[in-house]
Amino acid sequence: MILEDNIDLSYYLVTSLKDTYNIYLAANGKEGINLLKEIKKPDLIISDMMMPELDGYDFLKYLNSNENFKDIPSIFLSAASDNDNKVRAFLSGAVDFVAKPFSIELLKARINALLNYQKIKKELYEKDKYITMGMLLGGISHEIFNPLLGIYAPLENLELLFENIDDENCQQKGLKYIKNIETNIVRIENVVKSLKVLYYNRDFERTRIDLNEILDSIANIFAAKMPPDRIKFITVVPDNFQLDANHGVLTQILMNLIKNSIDALDGIENG
């Protein structure tokens, strides 16, 4: 985005830069503020210092006071290149200063340097965010895993009790419920293991997958939550089908796809 009140210089800047960048042009700071509200957030702003209605200094003050625009880097262009004006420009929020008259090649080099710096800064921010998230996930996975260990022993005892019940119908129902609980515990364990993989930045372990077993498990989970007249699962897996993947990740992906489909159907019915 370029702010320049001199028509000839504006034309020169646009014609020199338009083949490399998408250019938005404003004649002063007031037009620049209005333009920012209409266009996609620019990667860089080049601004003259002295302009009518709203000069470059006040325009940068506006940018710095706005959370949406304060991180946009800016280059000041000015014929007033004495130290006082340079200091004022940097104090106003400019990150670079180019004195008029200037070489267009020098300006292009400054633009590229600033854009590359912004790219590196963004990559470092994303990397730091990922590390922070990984540490958080690692702590959560630890807190989840410990209670799971305390579920297995009571569940095994409960299974033994149902196996010794004389009422066959009650026994089958109880063992079926226990099997569903065990299946969901395994799912939670796989999620926890996946979180630990993210935390330690390791590769996911790939094994030969029994897709029918995963699909049957998912069908049982959703069947327990939804009335039988709402959902009907039909799985067709070729006999010679082979798949190597991470069990936990694949299960979670399929669960998400099915859940999203159910949510979409609910939205259609309720709409």
Side-chain angles (χ1 to χ4, degrees), residues 155-160 162 173-183:
L155 198 60
E156 290 176 359
N157 292 332
L158 190 61
E159 187 173 7
L160 290 174
F162 272 104
K173 286 184 177 180
L175 292 176
K176 180 182 178 181
Y177 295 148
I178 290 173
K179 180 64 176 176
N180 287 339
I181 294 173
E182 290 176 342
T183 299

Side-chain angles (χ1 to χ4, degrees), residues 1-3 26 28-37 42 44-49 51-66 69-70 72-76 92-93:
M1 180 175 172
I2 298 174
L3 281 72
N28 53 61
K30 184 177 180 180
E31 287 187 14
I33 290 174
N34 293 330
L35 187 60
L36 281 173
K37 299 174 182 178
L44 178 71
I45 292 176
I46 300 173
S47 176
D48 188 14
M49 292 173 67
M51 295 179 292
E53 295 195 60
L54 190 71
D55 62 22
Y57 299 115
D58 289 332
F59 175 74
L60 283 192
K61 287 179 182 177
Y62 167 80
L63 292 185
N64 290 329
S65 65
N66 190 301
F69 305 131
K70 65 188 303 182
I72 303 175
S74 56
I75 299 175
F76 255 152
S92 298

Side-chain angles (χ1 to χ4, degrees), residues 231-250:
I231 300 176
K232 184 177 182 181
F233 285 94
I234 301 175
T235 59
V236 179
V237 181
D239 293 336
N240 59 347
F241 182 80
Q242 294 183 344
L243 177 64
D244 292 332
N246 179 272
H247 188 284
V249 172
L250 179 60

Side-chain angles (χ1 to χ4, degrees), residues 41-244:
K41 183 177 177 180
D43 296 316
L44 178 71
I45 292 176
I46 300 173
S47 176
D48 188 14
M49 292 173 67
M50 307 307 296
M51 295 179 292
E53 295 195 60
L54 190 71
D55 62 22
Y57 299 115
D58 289 332
F59 175 74
L60 283 192
K61 287 179 182 177
Y62 167 80
L63 292 185
N64 290 329
S65 65
N66 190 301
E67 289 296 326
N68 294 326
F69 305 131
K70 65 188 303 182
D71 60 332
I72 303 175
S74 56
I75 299 175
F76 255 152
L77 299 179
S78 179
S81 57
D82 57 276
N83 284 337
D84 289 342
N85 278 294
K86 288 181 179 180
V87 170
R88 185 183 176 190
F90 288 120
L91 290 177
S92 298
V95 295
D96 204 351
F97 186 101
V98 176
K100 297 178 182 178
F102 56 85
S103 160
I104 192 63
E105 296 304 320
L106 173 61
L107 181 60
K108 288 181 178 179
R110 298 281 182 87
I111 292 172
N112 288 332
L114 271 179
L115 293 178
N116 287 334
Y117 171 75
Q118 287 294 102
K119 180 181 178 182
I120 294 172
K121 187 171 72 172
K122 183 178 180 180
E123 289 174 351
L124 290 174
Y125 171 76
E126 292 295 329
K127 183 177 181 180
D128 182 65
K129 185 171 68 174
Y130 181 81
I131 293 172
T132 303
M133 182 62 70
M135 295 176 64
L136 177 62
L137 293 177
I140 292 174
S141 66
H142 179 75
E143 293 301 321
I144 294 174
F145 192 74
N146 286 338
L148 289 180
L149 298 177
I151 295 176
Y152 275 116
L155 198 60
E156 290 176 359
N157 292 332
L158 190 61
E159 187 173 7
L160 290 174
L161 288 174
F162 272 104
E163 288 175 352
N164 294 323
I165 289 178
D166 294 332
D167 187 332
E168 184 175 350
N169 184 48
C170 180
Q171 181 188 69
Q172 289 179 353
K173 286 184 177 180
L175 292 176
K176 180 182 178 181
Y177 295 148
I178 290 173
K179 180 64 176 176
N180 287 339
I181 294 173
E182 290 176 342
T183 299
N184 282 284
I185 290 175
V186 171
R187 280 192 60 241
I188 296 172
E189 282 186 340
N190 287 330
V191 171
V192 170
K193 290 176 182 177
S194 298
L195 293 178
K196 287 185 175 181
V197 167
L198 288 174
Y199 174 57
Y200 292 111
N201 199 23
R202 296 173 181 168
D203 294 330
F204 286 106
E205 181 182 357
R206 293 160 58 101
T207 58
R208 182 58 53 86
I209 297 295
D210 184 346
L211 191 56
N212 278 309
E213 181 268 329
I214 291 179
L215 293 173
D216 289 343
S217 172
I218 293 174
N220 289 332
I221 291 171
F222 279 99
K225 297 179 178 180
M226 302 293 294
D229 59 333
R230 286 293 315 280
I231 300 176
K232 184 177 182 181
F233 285 94
I234 301 175
T235 59
V236 179
V237 181
D239 293 336
N240 59 347
F241 182 80
Q242 294 183 344
L243 177 64
D244 292 332

